[in-house]
Amino acid sequence: MKRPVTRRDFLAMSAKGVGAAVVSYGLMGCSSDDDNNGIYAEFLHGLASGDPSHEAVIIWTRVTPEVDGDIKVAWEVATDSDFSQLVVSGDTITNSERDYTVKVDAVGLEAGTKYFYRFKTGSKTSQAGMTKTLPQGAIDSVKLAVMSCANFPAGYFNVYEMASRMDDLDAVIHLGDYIYEYARGEYASERAAEMQREVLPEGELFSLSDYRTRYGQYRSDLSLQKLHGKTPFITVWDDHEVANDSWRDGAENHNDGEGDFDARKEAALQAYFEWLPIRPWREGNNEEIYRSFQFGDLVDLHMLDTRLLGRDKPLDYAEYMDPATGGLDSARFMADVTDTNRTMLGQEQQAWLQTALLTSTAKWQVLGQQVLMGQMMLPAAIATQQLSIPEFGQLAALAQIAARQAAGDPTLTEDELTYLAFFADKLTPEAMALLQLPAIPYNLDAWDGYAYEREVVLATAKSMGKNLVVIAGDTHNAWANVLKDAGGEPVGVEFATSSVSSPGLEYYLGIDEKDIPATEEAIVGLVDNLAYANLMNRGLMTLTFTHDEVRSDWRYVDTIYTRAFTEAVERNFSMVTKAGSHALEAAS
């Protein structure tokens, strides 16, 4: 039985927003020219900023010392690139206990203002980074870049490079899978040696040292460094920051003989907080990352953890298949997937989100989270991989022609009859039975596997007439959905980004490139409320908010296998939703 939310719980949840008291490293007065007792150190991993508020921003770097020891690092924030107009400065000590990372909560800043920042240690000065605080009051527009799923051995980070060339972004929203935990030669590593992108350490990640080493390799990528140094990040984790298909108590990729999962998760999340410019609620709390950001009166962005904090173990179709008949026990499956006790967010996070949605006055409510919320219902034969999409389409077409022939339809053409005659042997009783199976969720790791809690979130937004926009990553493909509740009423829209480098459905389903457009069209036709799909290209998504509409622009690169790339403009696509409409339409 779930524990009721107490007054103490509510007060704690109410504090979880921008402006909550947090640990602040390095607010220690003037900078120092201390030589660190002769220890030489360099800034090899760039710098970064993140979690901007109206009056503060996290700034980050890492020093690489020649020998272990305490390193004093000074920091400066200024309104000009020459640092002649310093606003705040200070120094702090870093060492091996925090993997020589430096994380400063630079407070006392002005809202809606661009700043420059840098670090110094001994005689070394880092490059200068740019960041900006969140605006307050009435504003006209907000532009965000959304990305996820960067697998180092799968290809070059050309998507990060493309984003680093954009000069009008207010923030980068990273929805997880910032790193991957797999060993060398595993997932999507076919060309890693050729590109000199084999992972470090060589083995799968289990220990704190393992995760730290992998983050260090990722942050050595110059394209990622450029983007971090130019635009503040707002991040959440997904599963691969720990292990594939994680939930609160385990993961698909955590197996017998691999040690204690809680210890592995603790190590992974500590490394995440060390290496990402994310603000903790309090020092040592590496588990809670749900939080809100207010962009003036226009956008409230609520970042959620749908992965590690409260998620129940994902359902698995294999557990509902009859081994004798190969059929799906639909009744038992539907009872489990709609169970009112089944949770993805957990009670406390759900209550916090409901409070945030009910009390916000911003024009747009945006949920930044990892997995698809839109209903992705596919024919069961496809969802359970008993038929491919082309096979299902062919059988459905043949069955339709056969039904028309049996009914004596005089409009049947000679070509249709010839087609039926040539492939009639495919319409076996087994094939016809597969065609009759109902539509079921394609991906039980997404919100489709947690249907009741999705209804709670949608009902909360609907009750206040909110302009709801959900953003998602995880699938490595781009999507746009109209979000409807169980009664079929539209409540909001969802925009999902492609991946930085991880392969998508074209990889998993073995779809030939020439068949991609037809497959995309078929999926959009098969899935109710789905308005757009891109199954092939690596890229990102930008969202531009005004008081009248939100525009989503999906932008793609032509390759991730060479550092030289161009934008694949022929595959780019844009959609808009108007305030109050909960509808999607293609944009010019």
Side-chain angles (χ1 to χ4, degrees), residues 162-477:
M162 180 169 65
S164 75
R165 299 172 186 177
M166 299 178 185
D167 295 323
D168 57 350
L169 298 177
D170 292 299
V172 168
I173 313 301
H174 200 293
L175 298 178
D177 292 347
Y178 188 94
I179 65 165
Y180 280 72
E181 84 283 10
Y182 293 113
R184 183 175 295 185
E186 294 187 357
Y187 172 65
S189 297
E190 293 83 357
R191 300 177 66 173
E194 166 194 337
M195 295 182 290
Q196 297 184 326
R197 291 180 76 84
E198 293 182 300
V199 293
L200 298 172
E202 293 187 21
E204 188 176 332
L205 309 184
F206 296 107
S207 69
L208 177 58
S209 176
D210 292 340
Y211 285 100
R212 283 171 165 175
T213 299
R214 188 67 55 87
Y215 275 104
Q217 181 180 39
Y218 272 62
R219 293 299 291 272
S220 70
D221 186 276
L222 296 182
S223 294
L224 180 54
Q225 286 189 20
K226 286 169 64 176
L227 181 57
H228 266 303
K230 187 173 182 178
T231 308
F233 271 53
I234 297 172
T235 70
V236 286
W237 51 55
D238 196 11
D239 52 340
H240 289 288
E241 284 87 351
V242 180
N244 182 55
D245 286 353
S246 299
W247 67 94
R248 65 173 179 264
D249 298 320
E252 179 277 333
N253 192 29
H254 186 81
N255 306 306
D256 292 341
E258 292 184 340
D260 179 67
F261 177 76
D262 287 340
R264 181 182 189 178
K265 182 169 75 169
E266 181 180 352
L269 301 192
Q270 178 179 335
Y272 183 91
F273 268 89
E274 289 171 345
W275 280 85
L276 271 294
I278 181 174
R279 178 183 284 109
W281 298 125
R282 63 184 181 275
E283 188 168 13
N285 181 355
N286 296 332
E287 295 184 355
E288 296 177 288
I289 59 169
Y290 59 94
R291 61 215 193 276
S292 290
F293 299 85
Q294 290 81 41
F295 293 79
D297 64 345
L298 190 56
V299 174
D300 275 3
L301 170 65
H302 311 293
M303 300 295 285
L304 308 180
D305 180 359
T306 64
R307 180 57 68 181
L308 296 175
L309 188 63
R311 173 190 280 253
D312 290 328
K313 184 178 180 179
L315 301 178
D316 185 347
Y317 279 123
E319 298 176 3
Y320 299 90
M321 303 299 289
D322 184 333
T325 66
L328 179 72
D329 186 342
S330 300
R332 186 165 62 92
F333 169 75
M334 291 306 298
D336 287 352
V337 80
T338 58
D339 185 346
T340 58
N341 292 309
R342 186 163 175 74
T343 181
M344 178 182 279
L345 299 175
Q347 184 188 24
E348 181 176 316
Q349 184 178 191
Q350 178 187 302
W352 166 85
L353 176 59
Q354 289 180 283
T355 300
L357 290 174
L358 292 172
T359 58
S360 171
T361 59
K363 187 63 174 282
W364 298 95
Q365 301 300 307
V366 182
L367 306 188
Q369 50 88 64
Q370 297 85 338
V371 294
L372 286 177
M373 182 174 280
Q375 296 182 39
M376 296 287 284
M377 308 288 282
L378 287 173
I382 296 175
T384 57
Q385 298 186 3
Q386 296 176 83
L387 290 175
S388 68
I389 292 173
E391 287 171 340
F392 183 91
Q394 183 186 42
L395 285 174
L398 288 168
Q400 184 182 57
I401 296 171
R404 289 168 60 197
Q405 184 186 47
D409 185 349
T411 65
L412 278 171
T413 66
E414 285 297 323
D415 284 346
E416 288 174 322
L417 291 171
T418 300
Y419 181 70
L420 177 61
F422 192 79
F423 292 108
D425 61 328
K426 291 183 177 291
L427 291 178
T428 63
E430 294 78 12
M432 294 301 293
L434 289 175
L435 289 178
Q436 300 306 313
L437 293 175
I440 59 175
Y442 157 67
N443 181 6
L444 297 176
D445 188 60
W447 281 90
D448 272 338
Y450 304 80
Y452 174 76
E453 196 169 54
R454 175 173 59 194
E455 289 303 305
V456 172
V457 173
L458 294 179
T460 303
K462 182 181 177 181
S463 69
M464 299 297 289
K466 300 295 187 181
N467 290 300
L468 179 67
V469 176
V470 176
I471 55 177
D474 181 64
T475 67
H476 311 164
N477 297 113

Side-chain angles (χ1 to χ4, degrees), residues 14 90 144 147 172 220 319 369 376 385 399 474 479 490 505 507 540 584:
S14 299
L144 307 173
M147 53 193 71
V172 168
S220 70
E319 298 176 3
Q369 50 88 64
M376 296 287 284
Q385 298 186 3
D474 181 64
W479 313 92
L505 282 178
Y507 176 88
L540 58 84
L584 289 167

Side-chain angles (χ1 to χ4, degrees), residues 144-157:
L144 307 173
V146 183
M147 53 193 71
S148 70
C149 305
N151 189 26
F152 191 88
Y156 296 111
F157 289 164

Side-chain angles (χ1 to χ4, degrees), residues 63-80:
V63 295
T64 304
E66 59 181 354
V67 296
D68 285 342
D70 288 349
I71 301 292
K72 180 179 286 187
V73 181
W75 55 272
E76 299 174 335
V77 178
T79 55
D80 66 312

Side-chain angles (χ1 to χ4, degrees), residues 58-135:
I58 296 290
I59 57 175
W60 177 98
T61 194
R62 183 183 188 270
V63 295
T64 304
E66 59 181 354
V67 296
D68 285 342
D70 288 349
I71 301 292
K72 180 179 286 187
V73 181
W75 55 272
E76 299 174 335
V77 178
T79 55
D80 66 312
S81 59
D82 293 330
F83 291 85
S84 61
Q85 303 296 322
L86 287 182
V87 177
V88 287
S89 63
D91 55 45
T92 187
I93 299 294
T94 188
N95 51 40
S96 60
E97 292 183 4
R98 60 183 58 180
D99 202 20
Y100 292 99
T101 59
V102 178
K103 200 167 175 178
V104 175
D105 199 356
V107 300
L109 307 181
E110 296 292 327
T113 303
K114 183 169 76 172
Y115 290 96
F116 298 86
Y117 63 100
R118 66 184 179 186
F119 298 87
K120 297 179 180 180
T121 182
S123 61
K124 283 287 183 179
T125 300
S126 74
Q127 65 184 43
M130 293 188 294
T131 190
K132 60 171 68 174
T133 50
L134 300 186

